[in-house]
Amino acid sequence: MQLMQDLTANFMKTFGQWDGLTYLSIPKPKDEAELSIYKLRLKLCVEETFELFEAMLTTDAYQPFDKMLSDINSYIEQITLEQLNIDPVSIYDSLLDQEVVNHGFANLLGLDMNEGMKEVYRSNMSKLGKDGKPIYREDGKVMKSELYSPPDLLSIYNKTKYTFTG
């Protein structure tokens, strides 16, 4: 687990998403810039969840979910400072529960999350442009540069299987 959080922290620092020291304000964002960060994090969590649906369903079966994702993102964009009342302990609980669910699913499929994370990290770092700087979507999400190299998860999947040693 430490590997995954440390690689993510390094990615965030490299791409200007976090300085490694400053935390978001609680229970309300201090300004519109922090509100945008909270909104982006919500959208990213939802987007990754819907990618799981897309990976498991036929194109026809996934179609209604694609519309739902668009609707959810629209609702997230409309959230105001006044509508937030951030409970960090409940967020912590949710994030940990999501980790347990994700790792449990990976275990059932024999997926080596640490090896996969290393490859995703390598791929994410290739998103830097030729000038060594990140490219951002309007809402702050990191975009792929011309140097981007997708993760080769197939080779990791084919050569490694998670086995419980404890």
Side-chain angles (χ1 to χ4, degrees), residues 30-66:
K30 67 181 176 192
D31 54 27
E32 290 295 322
E34 271 197 6
L35 176 62
S36 293
I37 293 169
Y38 273 110
K39 287 179 181 183
L40 175 60
R41 289 288 143 188
L42 284 172
K43 288 196 291 187
L44 292 172
C45 286
V46 170
E47 183 179 309
E48 295 308 323
T49 298
F50 276 71
E51 278 187 24
L52 179 61
F53 281 73
E54 189 174 19
M56 293 179 64
L57 301 173
T58 65
T59 303
D60 288 344
Y62 178 74
Q63 202 168 26
F65 292 100
D66 200 30

Side-chain angles (χ1 to χ4, degrees), residues 103-162:
H103 282 85
F105 203 173
N107 291 347
L108 291 169
L109 293 170
L111 305 175
D112 186 327
M113 295 296 276
N114 283 325
E115 290 304 311
M117 180 62 180
K118 290 177 197 174
E119 178 59 11
V120 166
Y121 175 77
R122 182 212 54 79
S123 172
N124 280 342
M125 297 306 286
S126 76
K127 291 179 180 180
L128 291 169
K130 288 180 184 173
D131 60 0
K133 295 183 179 173
I135 302 164
Y136 299 102
R137 191 169 68 188
E138 182 180 293
D139 64 0
K141 181 181 177 181
V142 173
M143 301 303 291
K144 298 170 181 132
S145 78
E146 65 278 4
L147 302 176
Y148 175 72
S149 168
D152 182 10
L153 295 174
L154 179 60
S155 67
I156 293 169
Y157 174 77
N158 286 334
K159 71 181 176 184
T160 64
K161 291 285 183 226
Y162 171 77

